Amino acid sequence: MTILQLPTETLIQIFDYVGSSYFRSDLSRLTVCKQWNELARTACFRDFYVPQETLRRLLSSPYAESSLALVKDSVETLDLDLKGFEYWDSNPLSRHDLQAVNVLNVSTWNGAHGRAVRAAWTTELNNDLLYLATIIKQSRKLRILRIQATSELHPLLHLLERRDYLFLSTIRAFLSASSLTSLELDLCGTQLIPHQSQEHGERSHVCTSIAALLTTLRRLRLRMRSICADVLKPRQHSTNLRLNEMLINLSLSNESPLTTSAAHATCCGPPSGGFLHLKANMEKQAQVLVAQMEAPKIVRILTHALPNIEMRAFDVLTGRNVTLSEGVEWDDDGEAIED
């Protein structure tokens, strides 16, 4: 018996076992034959890792429509990896700016031409992401959404201020997916830019959109430059939320050489009380949320302490603070801090 004589259900289990990365590492592995291809393509797009360059190539391909239809029908995990102004020099507006980079002319990048380059790059990226979001939110299988957005990549990075590049409407579009059970947002490389007039209001932050998912999520991990306690307030009161893991990192200390070692998230909207006020509100609302969770396993608010940039986590379930070693996972057991 050849492998293709096995029942379809068995072949699907085999392809699931070898995983999406096996096929993505060498796309010729999809082309054994038509029967093989139909099953292998589904496995290939089940876990969909998307850097910006991959997304641009996919959407500019003549097979974009059929490929995205396959993504919609197959994807269970979507992992977006965004780096600020990556491949900015591939934009036609940037060709003039290449000469400026060679002579380290910071004023050009900060001037009108530089702003035009960044605006073009930002518009193209957000248009691509919005198009992907319209497809993804139709998926019935999507369960895990990860979005990581890091700071700008540029040869003059050490001479430039951090630039923002993600629209609020873009992230909201992805959060409208109704089947999510796990959400990880690490957006500390950019503030979310209001793109439409209705997004410029006082309550135009993404926190309420995340909170709307609390009734279906089981896992939530967040690190954002702006956040508030609204992110932990479900729209409907419940005592049996399926959410069992919630980790929010307010520390931005290891995100970029452009941020100071003391960088923390700020509160959404007008400043009110500073970081300590934000931290206290987050911890208080996390305690309220725990009472609504059916079987909480880990609930933490992470920060860092000076002068040694020591990572700390307030464990909401035990009411204790723990220290975390550098480079460990947010959910590491850590070492309890004695009162």
Side-chain angles (χ1 to χ4, degrees):
M1 176 184 290
T2 68
I3 189 172
L4 290 175
Q5 290 175 304
L6 291 170
T8 299
E9 293 78 7
T10 304
L11 284 174
I12 291 174
Q13 288 184 342
I14 292 172
F15 290 156
D16 285 347
Y17 179 78
V18 299
S20 297
S21 59
Y22 173 79
F23 296 104
R24 290 200 307 270
S25 63
D26 183 356
L27 293 180
S28 66
R29 293 169 177 168
L30 297 173
T31 60
V32 173
C33 67
K34 183 176 180 180
Q35 178 188 355
W36 175 285
N37 178 261
E38 290 177 354
L39 299 176
R41 285 190 306 167
T42 299
C44 180
F45 287 109
R46 182 166 287 115
D47 298 323
F48 194 33
Y49 172 73
V50 193
Q52 187 213 349
E53 184 183 26
T54 299
L55 179 60
R56 185 86 289 272
R57 287 204 310 264
L58 174 63
L59 296 185
S60 60
S61 163
Y63 309 105
E65 186 174 344
S66 58
S67 296
L68 286 173
L70 186 60
V71 170
K72 176 179 70 71
D73 294 336
S74 306
V75 66
E76 296 178 7
T77 300
L78 176 62
D79 193 344
L80 293 174
D81 185 9
L82 309 174
K83 297 178 175 61
F85 302 97
E86 188 175 28
Y87 304 110
W88 58 271
D89 53 341
S90 64
N91 190 294
L93 284 174
S94 304
R95 292 170 186 165
H96 171 72
D97 202 55
L98 283 172
Q99 182 179 1
V101 171
N102 292 333
V103 298
L104 298 181
N105 187 347
V106 179
S107 62
T108 299
W109 184 246
N110 283 332
H113 181 75
R115 288 193 295 272
V117 170
R118 295 194 298 274
W121 186 94
T122 299
T123 298
E124 180 178 80
L125 171 66
N126 283 273
N127 286 343
D128 287 350
L129 289 172
L130 281 170
Y131 187 60
L132 176 63
T134 60
I135 302 298
I136 289 298
K137 67 183 181 182
Q138 301 174 42
S139 172
R140 297 180 179 180
K141 296 183 177 180
L142 180 64
R143 296 293 180 269
I144 301 172
L145 174 62
R146 302 188 189 101
I147 304 179
Q148 182 177 36
T150 56
S151 287
E152 170 176 3
L153 292 178
H154 190 283
L156 307 179
L157 182 65
H158 62 291
L159 300 174
L160 299 170
E161 297 179 355
R162 180 184 51 78
R163 319 284 177 157
D164 299 323
Y165 59 89
L166 274 183
F167 294 154
L168 174 61
S169 55
T170 299
I171 297 301
R172 279 180 167 166
F174 282 102
L175 297 179
S176 64
S178 60
S179 56
L180 292 178
T181 59
S182 178
L183 175 64
E184 297 182 36
L185 298 180
D186 191 347
L187 309 180
C188 61
T190 177
Q191 291 277 12
L192 297 182
I193 309 168
H195 185 52
Q196 299 174 354
S197 57
Q198 63 267 32
E199 292 180 342
H200 287 268
E202 182 180 346
R203 309 304 292 170
S204 63
H205 51 88
V206 75
C207 295
T208 51
S209 298
I210 297 172
L213 298 172
L214 291 176
T215 54
T216 57
L217 289 178
R218 299 184 180 182
R219 187 171 186 266
L220 176 64
R221 292 191 177 205
L222 300 174
R223 184 166 67 153
M224 304 187 297
R225 302 197 73 85
S226 296
I227 195 168
C228 69
D230 286 354
V231 77
L232 301 180
K233 296 178 181 178
R235 288 184 177 177
Q236 298 177 346
H237 181 79
S238 174
T239 56
N240 59 350
L241 292 179
R242 293 185 294 173
L243 184 69
N244 56 46
E245 176 182 316
M246 191 280 292
L247 297 168
I248 295 181
N249 193 346
L250 301 178
S251 172
L252 309 176
S253 60
N254 65 344
E255 192 275 324
S256 164
L258 296 182
T259 60
T260 67
S261 60
H264 277 105
T266 57
C267 187
C268 301
S272 56
F275 171 71
L276 293 179
H277 183 69
L278 169 64
K279 179 177 178 290
N281 283 345
M282 295 295 294
E283 292 178 355
K284 181 179 178 180
Q285 186 57 40
Q287 291 170 323
V288 173
L289 181 65
V290 163
Q292 302 179 60
M293 296 164 64
E294 188 175 45
K297 293 180 180 178
I298 182 167
V299 180
R300 283 182 172 180
I301 306 296
L302 286 80
T303 58
H304 67 253
L306 299 174
N308 298 323
I309 319 301
E310 181 183 63
M311 290 301 301
R312 293 188 175 184
F314 174 66
D315 190 314
V316 180
L317 298 182
T318 63
R320 303 189 71 180
N321 289 288
V322 299
T323 61
L324 303 177
S325 301
E326 184 177 356
V328 302
E329 293 294 326
W330 297 357
D331 55 359
D332 186 82
D333 289 339
E335 182 177 346
I337 300 174
E338 297 296 332
D339 294 333

